[in-house]
Amino acid sequence: MSPTSEPPPLNEAGRLAQDLIDLGYNRSQVAGMIGRNASIITQIFTKGGGKGKAYIGALQEVLRAVRGGERDLEFLTEIAQQHITDRRTRTGQKARVRGKNIIGTLGRSSTGTAGHQAIQSGASHLADVVHETAKAHGRIAITVRMKADQFTMAAGSREDSPGLRRGVVPRSDGTEERKYGSQTVGRRGERIIGFDASEWSRRVAQHRGDVTAAVKAWLVETDRAVEDADIRWLQIRGWVPNPPTTRGRRR
């Protein structure tokens, strides 16, 4: 590129990185979120093309969290690392990517996470996951972290979350994570997968996009939490389930 030529137009990764910079983060901070140094941001800005493609999903989720009120660098880094598509296992194999930003495809999911800062402002960025999943006629699952004594049901109770006795994670700070909407088995043996995203889309809309308030209201309505419960961490996962497979009978 000659000294007088203009830099290439920003690609998707560059646009996302620039949005984060416009929101107050510097290049080193943005690069640190995806586990790289500032030179990667410079390369994305100057080389264009497909540079940084592996980080698009991570940057999308970080930007969504920041716009929802999250500012903590450590937490944003944690979110980013869950969505980097070129991670490898210790054996060198490609690691499974959680929460890829695809909803309208069978079997693919999108995940949004909110820490305490974003939760205080309603975790509105999680509303995108709920509404997008509803449009695709999908299902959602919810993971909530609160102080253990703010849950009204015993840890692992089948009334709290049927079939998920291993879905409770006690923590050293006195909080617990409980999962709702993951795969369970109904009374007739049928598989019940997740909550209807359309119903939750309406709930979130009723609370004007405040996902924290919608989830808390549901916990209280269903006698799962005390009225003054304080949600510390929240995750929404949306997906479009694969259709059930049928096996033909041998004649």
Side-chain angles (χ1 to χ4, degrees):
M1 183 172 66
S2 65
T4 58
S5 62
E6 295 184 358
L10 291 178
N11 59 19
E12 180 63 14
R15 285 191 291 271
L16 293 166
Q18 185 60 58
D19 285 344
L20 287 169
I21 290 170
D22 292 343
L23 288 169
Y25 295 95
N26 60 42
R27 292 191 182 192
S28 294
Q29 290 172 325
V30 174
M33 294 173 193
I34 57 176
R36 300 292 299 272
N37 59 41
S39 66
I40 187 64
I41 304 301
T42 300
Q43 292 176 45
I44 290 173
F45 284 165
T46 58
K47 294 185 177 181
K51 194 68 179 179
K53 185 177 180 180
Y55 306 112
I56 290 176
L59 293 172
Q60 285 175 333
E61 293 301 326
V62 168
L63 184 60
R64 177 182 288 177
V66 171
R67 286 174 172 167
E70 191 61 59
R71 301 297 299 180
D72 183 74
L73 274 173
E74 183 176 348
F75 187 75
L76 294 173
T77 300
E78 179 183 335
I79 291 175
Q81 292 302 310
Q82 294 177 2
H83 294 85
I84 293 176
T85 58
D86 64 351
R87 289 185 299 145
R88 299 281 172 175
T89 65
R90 291 182 179 179
T91 60
Q93 296 178 329
K94 189 173 181 180
R96 181 182 177 186
V97 179
R98 293 184 295 161
K100 196 168 183 180
N101 196 32
I102 297 176
I103 276 291
T105 306
L106 296 177
R108 306 304 282 272
S109 67
S110 177
T111 303
T113 305
H116 204 233
Q117 286 182 317
I119 284 171
Q120 295 302 308
S121 59
S124 57
H125 62 293
L126 299 186
D128 292 340
V129 176
V130 177
H131 296 319
E132 288 169 10
T133 307
K135 290 177 183 177
H137 308 290
R139 315 291 291 181
I140 68 166
I142 302 169
T143 302
V144 181
R145 184 186 301 167
M146 299 191 306
K147 285 288 187 181
D149 60 5
Q150 294 184 341
F151 290 102
T152 58
M153 298 182 185
S157 165
R158 289 188 178 276
E159 290 182 60
D160 185 36
S161 191
L164 286 178
R165 301 185 69 79
R166 292 175 296 175
V168 178
V169 182
R171 302 173 62 84
S172 60
D173 61 0
T175 63
E176 287 180 358
E177 282 181 21
R178 301 201 185 183
K179 301 177 182 179
Y180 302 103
S182 294
Q183 182 171 308
T184 62
V185 178
R187 294 180 181 178
R188 299 180 181 179
E190 74 277 19
R191 290 183 177 180
I192 303 172
I193 305 177
F195 297 119
D196 181 359
S198 296
E199 177 188 344
W200 272 93
S201 181
R202 289 190 291 270
R203 284 180 173 272
V204 170
Q206 288 171 357
H207 287 86
R208 298 183 178 181
D210 189 326
V211 180
T212 306
V215 172
K216 179 179 174 179
W218 178 79
L219 290 169
V220 173
E221 288 170 13
T222 57
D223 296 322
R224 287 177 165 85
V226 298
E227 290 190 5
D228 60 347
D230 179 25
I231 297 175
R232 300 294 184 88
W233 186 89
L234 185 61
Q235 183 181 84
I236 304 289
R237 183 169 71 91
W239 73 97
V240 179
N242 287 314
T245 57
T246 57
R247 297 180 180 178
R249 295 181 180 178
R250 293 183 179 179
R251 295 184 178 179

